[in-house]
Amino acid sequence: MRFQSKLPEVGTTIFTVMSRRALEEGALNIGQGFPDYPIDPRLGQSLIEAVAQGRNQYAPMEGLVELREQIARKLKTSYAVEVDPEAEITVTCGGTEALYDAIQAVVGPGDEAIVFDPAYDAYEPAIRLAGARCVRIPLTPPGFRFDWDRVRQCVSHRTRLIIVNSPQNPSCSVAERGDLDALASLVRDRPISILADEVYENVLYDGRRHASVLAHPELRERSFAVFSFGKTLHATGWRVGYCVAPPPLTRELRKVHQFNSFSIAAPLQYAIARYLKQFPDAWTGLSAFFEAKRNLLAGLLRGSGFEPLPAAGTYFLLVDYGALSHSSDVDFADRLIREAKIATIPLSPFYAQAPPMTLLRLCIAKRNETLMAAAERLCAFAARPQVP
Ligand SMILES: Cc1ncc(COP(=O)(O)O)c(C=O)c1O
């Protein structure tokens, strides 16, 4: 049977490719973004209890009310905002489902959605599946800042959605309050929604505070804000996230959600709700935890030839290998897998049209021993006579 692919240009993601190559070559995988250390055993225990107590049937479509209440409390503590758990919070299958649902809810054929490069890879396919066009605007290096004049030029009567991700994967930059003000003035009086991917809300360094759209009254009225317990609780495999949006947007998002995943694994929701009730500040140490890891890895690599770029947030670190080679990042990353037995993620696949660059993304959500072993391999590789 002949059929036409709806996403002909989408192949296997760079994360899957690099992880597969890492397995083939027996390489240490410091590329893909997942912790290699255990979750809090008390969270695991909470899940065991939820299953034993029979919390094994469908959870409500919008999410367990106990969990939504804990989320509302967390948001109040973090951003001093009142969020209605009933009408404004939806529990989703990771942040990924929330992104997909929000996009399907507000963009359709002929519309445009704006995305900033280097961009997380889940945005564009969802926009395309909605029949819309993805307009990609690069963040300006070296700090990966927003160029709001350029954004203004790219906004058209077709623009229905702007996706902002802060702290940003993979650039490790963060949006400031001034960026949110610029965004607000740009969309004022226009029928444009905002999708704020805030899954790294708890990982900002050097005393920075996260500027959430939820704490920006003007933006909040038109925003979907997306969060992930995978990141907050070091449990990426649990696939529990949530979306916060004003009631009219939440209503539309739930129309998609209820026919997409319908509802999220009940025992996981019970486990997280109970855990957050028992340990209400479970997430508050995340910035310090990851800042120590950033400092460890950056300190070990500085001067090696893999030069760390400043990182303001997320659990990644970019390194520039330009002093060692000018080959493309995809080729160089593959060479590192083969010759240094270490898997990283090249940056160019995060762009629609990548500028020339020699950057690799490393994940710091790893045990200190893993980070030290990775640094040792990278430093040993860099110390070898280099073939450019
Ligand atoms: C920027 C960004 N958004 C969304 C997600 C998806 O989060 P989840 O794993 O909860 O689906 C990720 C995961 O890596 C991410 O880096």
Short mmCIF file of all heavy atoms in Angstrom, two decimals, residues 93-96 99 120 123 165 169 197 199-200 228 231 239, ligand 1:
data_model
loop_
_atom_site.label_atom_id
_atom_site.label_comp_id
_atom_site.label_asym_id
_atom_site.label_seq_id
_atom_site.Cartn_x
_atom_site.Cartn_y
_atom_site.Cartn_z
N CYS A 93 1.01 13.35 30.26
CA CYS A 93 2.07 12.34 30.13
C CYS A 93 3.40 13.06 29.86
O CYS A 93 3.80 13.28 28.72
CB CYS A 93 1.74 11.37 29.00
SG CYS A 93 2.98 10.09 28.85
N GLY A 94 4.05 13.49 30.94
CA GLY A 94 5.27 14.27 30.82
C GLY A 94 4.97 15.66 30.28
O GLY A 94 3.82 15.97 29.90
N GLY A 95 6.00 16.49 30.24
CA GLY A 95 5.85 17.79 29.61
C GLY A 95 5.54 17.64 28.13
O GLY A 95 4.84 18.45 27.53
N THR A 96 6.03 16.54 27.54
CA THR A 96 5.88 16.34 26.10
C THR A 96 4.41 16.33 25.68
O THR A 96 4.05 16.95 24.68
CB THR A 96 6.56 15.01 25.68
OG1 THR A 96 7.90 15.03 26.15
CG2 THR A 96 6.54 14.83 24.18
N LEU A 99 2.93 19.82 25.81
CA LEU A 99 3.35 20.63 24.65
C LEU A 99 2.48 20.28 23.44
O LEU A 99 1.95 21.16 22.75
CB LEU A 99 4.82 20.36 24.30
CG LEU A 99 5.88 20.79 25.32
CD1 LEU A 99 7.24 20.22 24.92
CD2 LEU A 99 5.95 22.31 25.42
N TYR A 120 14.23 22.66 21.29
CA TYR A 120 13.89 21.29 21.69
C TYR A 120 13.10 20.65 20.55
O TYR A 120 12.28 21.31 19.90
CB TYR A 120 13.06 21.35 22.99
CG TYR A 120 12.76 20.00 23.55
CD1 TYR A 120 13.78 19.12 23.93
CD2 TYR A 120 11.45 19.59 23.72
CE1 TYR A 120 13.49 17.88 24.44
CE2 TYR A 120 11.16 18.33 24.24
CZ TYR A 120 12.18 17.49 24.59
OH TYR A 120 11.89 16.25 25.10
N TYR A 123 8.79 20.41 19.35
CA TYR A 123 7.85 21.47 18.95
C TYR A 123 7.41 21.36 17.49
O TYR A 123 6.22 21.36 17.18
CB TYR A 123 8.47 22.87 19.15
CG TYR A 123 9.06 23.13 20.53
CD1 TYR A 123 10.24 23.87 20.67
CD2 TYR A 123 8.44 22.67 21.69
CE1 TYR A 123 10.77 24.14 21.92
CE2 TYR A 123 8.98 22.94 22.95
CZ TYR A 123 10.15 23.67 23.05
OH TYR A 123 10.69 23.93 24.28
N ASN A 165 11.07 28.76 25.72
CA ASN A 165 11.57 27.72 26.63
C ASN A 165 12.64 28.35 27.52
O ASN A 165 13.67 28.78 27.05
CB ASN A 165 12.16 26.57 25.78
CG ASN A 165 12.92 25.54 26.60
OD1 ASN A 165 13.89 24.96 26.11
ND2 ASN A 165 12.52 25.30 27.80
N ASN A 169 16.76 24.50 26.87
CA ASN A 169 17.51 23.33 26.41
C ASN A 169 17.60 23.46 24.89
O ASN A 169 16.55 23.55 24.26
CB ASN A 169 16.75 22.06 26.79
CG ASN A 169 17.33 20.80 26.17
OD1 ASN A 169 18.46 20.80 25.70
ND2 ASN A 169 16.55 19.74 26.17
N ASP A 197 7.55 26.66 27.85
CA ASP A 197 8.11 25.38 28.26
C ASP A 197 9.04 25.66 29.44
O ASP A 197 10.17 26.14 29.26
CB ASP A 197 8.86 24.77 27.07
CG ASP A 197 9.46 23.42 27.40
OD1 ASP A 197 9.57 23.08 28.60
OD2 ASP A 197 9.84 22.70 26.45
N VAL A 199 10.00 23.42 31.90
CA VAL A 199 10.28 22.16 32.60
C VAL A 199 11.54 22.24 33.48
O VAL A 199 11.68 21.47 34.42
CB VAL A 199 10.38 20.93 31.64
CG1 VAL A 199 9.08 20.71 30.90
CG2 VAL A 199 11.54 21.05 30.69
N TYR A 200 12.43 23.20 33.19
CA TYR A 200 13.63 23.36 34.03
C TYR A 200 13.47 24.51 35.01
O TYR A 200 14.46 25.12 35.43
CB TYR A 200 14.88 23.55 33.15
CG TYR A 200 15.16 22.34 32.29
CD1 TYR A 200 14.89 22.36 30.92
CD2 TYR A 200 15.65 21.17 32.84
CE1 TYR A 200 15.10 21.24 30.14
CE2 TYR A 200 15.87 20.04 32.07
CZ TYR A 200 15.60 20.09 30.71
OH TYR A 200 15.81 18.97 29.95
N SER A 228 7.34 19.58 34.39
CA SER A 228 7.62 18.14 34.34
C SER A 228 8.10 17.62 35.68
O SER A 228 9.11 18.11 36.20
CB SER A 228 8.69 17.88 33.28
OG SER A 228 9.18 16.56 33.38
N LYS A 231 11.68 16.09 35.56
CA LYS A 231 12.85 16.92 35.88
C LYS A 231 12.89 17.22 37.37
O LYS A 231 13.95 17.15 38.00
CB LYS A 231 12.80 18.25 35.12
CG LYS A 231 12.49 18.14 33.65
CD LYS A 231 13.55 17.40 32.88
CE LYS A 231 13.14 17.25 31.42
NZ LYS A 231 13.95 16.29 30.70
N ARG A 239 7.10 9.80 33.47
CA ARG A 239 6.30 10.48 32.46
C ARG A 239 5.09 11.20 33.06
O ARG A 239 3.95 11.01 32.63
CB ARG A 239 5.81 9.49 31.36
CG ARG A 239 6.84 8.55 30.79
CD ARG A 239 7.98 9.24 30.06
NE ARG A 239 7.52 10.12 29.02
CZ ARG A 239 7.84 11.42 28.98
NH1 ARG A 239 8.60 11.98 29.91
NH2 ARG A 239 7.39 12.17 28.01
C1 LIG B 1 12.99 21.71 26.93
C2 LIG B 1 12.24 20.47 27.24
N1 LIG B 1 10.91 20.48 27.15
C3 LIG B 1 10.16 19.39 27.42
C4 LIG B 1 10.77 18.20 27.76
C5 LIG B 1 9.90 16.99 27.97
O1 LIG B 1 9.70 16.72 29.32
P1 LIG B 1 9.14 15.29 29.73
O2 LIG B 1 10.29 14.36 29.82
O3 LIG B 1 8.47 15.54 31.05
O4 LIG B 1 8.16 14.87 28.69
C6 LIG B 1 12.16 18.13 27.85
C7 LIG B 1 12.82 16.85 28.19
O5 LIG B 1 13.99 16.67 28.01
C8 LIG B 1 12.91 19.29 27.59
O6 LIG B 1 14.25 19.28 27.65
#
